[in-house]
Amino acid sequence: MATATGHKHGSSWLLDLSGQRLDDDGIEAACKREMAHRKERHRKPLTLEFQEVDASGNNIGSRGCRALVDVCLLCQDLRVVKLSHNAICDQSAPALCELIRRSPALEQLHLSFNRLTGDGAAKLVAAAQEPARRSAGAGGPRLPFWLRLEQNCVELPRALLQAPADGGDEQSVAASVCEAEDPSKCGPRGCCRQALVHLPYVMRQRNAEEVL
């Protein structure tokens, strides 16, 4: 049975569903159990305290991804979502874009080793650059959005580094997307170019035959 693990300041902060070989049916059932458990425990409008949701290392497709996004959207202070090593494809892009748009505190989304193509990846990068995500956080400048898309099926990954932010032009590209090539200067906590989005290792992609 999938359970929430980890504690911080006396409260559970991590929902750990990783490495359990869960398919869409399995992840849907785990999400339903978690929400039912929380409703029974708190008996008030459901909100979750998880700051991190980790469902990496499963076999999640579009239906399971939708179920996970629904859980994530109930988290009041969600910071990190890990979905690497799954079977997520472009069909999940709308749900993932919704997660990015509706989770203002979200700092990291890990999607490496999935089945996204250039079309789905481009939609995620665009959502991460939208005006609502550009404003400064309560404690100062907003952190760059750490988006892991390597080892997917993006045919032209360099194009993701060349798409200007919504309302911008090609001259704004350098300030909107960064490959984070130098870890001494760029990482999840900052960018030497003050980019909106980090795409580390994005040039490392697979072809469709490799993921079948």
Side-chain angles (χ1 to χ4, degrees):
M1 180 175 177
T3 57
T5 62
H7 292 81
K8 186 176 183 179
H9 304 307
S11 63
S12 180
W13 62 271
L14 169 65
L15 176 60
D16 189 358
L17 301 169
S18 64
Q20 299 183 37
R21 299 182 181 179
L22 298 172
D23 58 11
D24 284 346
D25 290 336
I27 206 72
E28 280 187 326
C31 289
K32 287 178 181 177
R33 284 196 299 269
E34 185 60 41
M35 288 193 285
H37 170 70
R38 297 283 160 169
K39 285 180 180 178
E40 181 179 348
R41 182 177 174 184
H42 296 287
R43 299 188 182 281
K44 59 183 179 181
L46 185 62
T47 57
L48 303 175
E49 69 269 27
F50 301 122
Q51 292 184 321
E52 179 176 329
V53 173
D54 186 354
S56 58
N58 286 296
N59 191 32
I60 300 167
S62 58
R63 187 158 47 87
C65 184
R66 177 70 257 182
L68 273 170
V69 167
D70 289 341
V71 168
C72 289
L73 292 175
L74 294 172
C75 299
Q76 300 179 87
D77 191 29
L78 185 65
R79 304 299 180 92
V80 179
V81 175
K82 296 181 178 179
L83 295 172
S84 58
H85 292 273
N86 276 292
I88 294 170
C89 64
D90 289 355
Q91 193 173 351
S92 293
L96 293 169
C97 287
E98 181 184 359
L99 172 64
I100 293 170
R101 294 184 180 113
R102 293 180 55 189
S103 303
L106 187 65
E107 299 170 359
Q108 301 181 31
L109 177 57
H110 295 247
L111 289 164
S112 55
F113 290 91
N114 276 288
R115 301 177 183 178
L116 293 163
T117 71
D119 182 60
K123 290 175 181 176
L124 298 177
V125 174
Q129 295 181 78
E130 288 181 0
R133 294 203 59 88
R134 297 184 213 171
S135 58
R142 180 178 292 279
L143 297 174
F145 190 66
W146 189 255
L147 181 57
R148 294 286 297 267
L149 292 171
E150 76 274 13
Q151 301 297 343
N152 275 274
C153 303
V154 179
E155 305 87 350
L156 299 171
R158 191 165 297 282
L160 299 177
L161 300 168
Q162 298 170 344
D166 184 29
D169 52 34
E170 292 184 359
Q171 293 182 347
S172 69
V173 171
S176 61
V177 183
C178 176
E179 195 175 350
E181 293 180 283
D182 186 345
S184 68
K185 296 180 180 179
C186 293
R189 309 306 299 176
C191 177
C192 66
R193 298 161 59 190
Q194 298 183 323
L196 298 170
V197 183
H198 271 154
L199 297 177
Y201 317 114
V202 72
M203 298 303 294
R204 305 176 187 176
Q205 297 293 325
R206 301 177 290 174
N207 59 50
E209 289 75 17
E210 291 180 272
V211 302
L212 295 178

